Amino acid sequence: MLAPREIDEYLLPTERRVIRVRQHWAFMWKHVTQTALFLLLMVLLERYLPNSVLIDNLVFYMALVAVLRFTVLTILWWIERIVITDKRVMLARGIVVHNVGMMPLSKVTDLTFQRTLGGRMLGYGTLIVESAGQIQALNRIDYMPRPEEIYEALSELVFGEKGKTRATGMLARGRWRR
């Protein structure tokens, strides 16, 4: 009941799923670091503050909240899907409240991807999808895995002739279907 619907349930019968990915694992690095530093702080507080049942309980429950927060963030990351079909780009997220953002490929006027140094080393980037003077639900997707390949496949879907780029070969082999 609380589980989100599978993203494929939102596809129209005339649509073909081309790419389905989740954000790169590097997206979670910030949350891992924050949780680890907070837990380290809790251990230091426990060690250097005077022994007290109140302090012990407070530190325990604060650490528990930090671990639960990290667990929820990890589940949200795991559930979130980026789907590109032959007609639109979709982003599905949420556990209790399920949101599906969508941009029709017919509205796309420009595609850009950016990569930081960290993104180049770890294999992620930011995909910017622009439409005719409008801010759409999906104008910026951060931590996109393998952005050059996705950019090329999306460019082919939006602007190119089918079968003329190397992305077509990857799509035909089913590399993106997970």
Side-chain angles (χ1 to χ4, degrees), residues 5 23 31 82 89 124-126 128 136 141 150:
R5 292 174 60 185
Q23 285 183 307
H31 302 300
I82 302 161
V89 178
Y124 67 86
T126 298
I128 300 168
Q136 297 286 330
I141 304 172
I150 292 176

Side-chain angles (χ1 to χ4, degrees), residues 159-175:
F159 308 114
E161 293 181 47
K162 307 276 186 282
K164 299 289 184 186
T165 67
R166 64 185 171 153
T168 305
M170 289 184 290
L171 297 175
R173 289 190 304 269
R175 181 172 176 171

Side-chain angles (χ1 to χ4, degrees), residues 84 89 105 111 127 129 150-159:
I84 300 173
V89 178
L105 291 180
L111 291 172
L127 186 66
V129 183
I150 292 176
Y151 172 80
E152 187 172 333
L154 190 54
S155 294
E156 180 179 332
L157 287 170
V158 174
F159 308 114

Side-chain angles (χ1 to χ4, degrees), residues 49-114:
L49 287 178
N51 286 336
S52 163
V53 172
L54 177 65
I55 291 174
D56 290 347
N57 285 337
L58 188 61
V59 166
F60 172 78
Y61 286 113
M62 288 175 61
L64 181 62
V65 166
V67 170
L68 289 175
R69 175 187 170 270
F70 178 74
T71 302
V72 168
L73 291 171
T74 302
I75 291 170
L76 285 170
W77 168 76
W78 188 259
I79 288 173
E80 183 175 287
R81 293 280 190 234
I82 302 161
V83 175
I84 300 173
T85 71
D86 57 349
K87 297 185 191 291
R88 59 188 167 158
V89 178
M90 299 168 52
L91 177 65
R93 59 172 49 144
I95 299 173
V96 177
V97 176
H98 195 64
N99 293 323
V100 179
M102 174 297 271
M103 176 187 280
L105 291 180
S106 62
K107 300 280 185 189
V108 174
T109 59
D110 191 29
L111 291 172
T112 307
F113 80 88
Q114 301 171 342

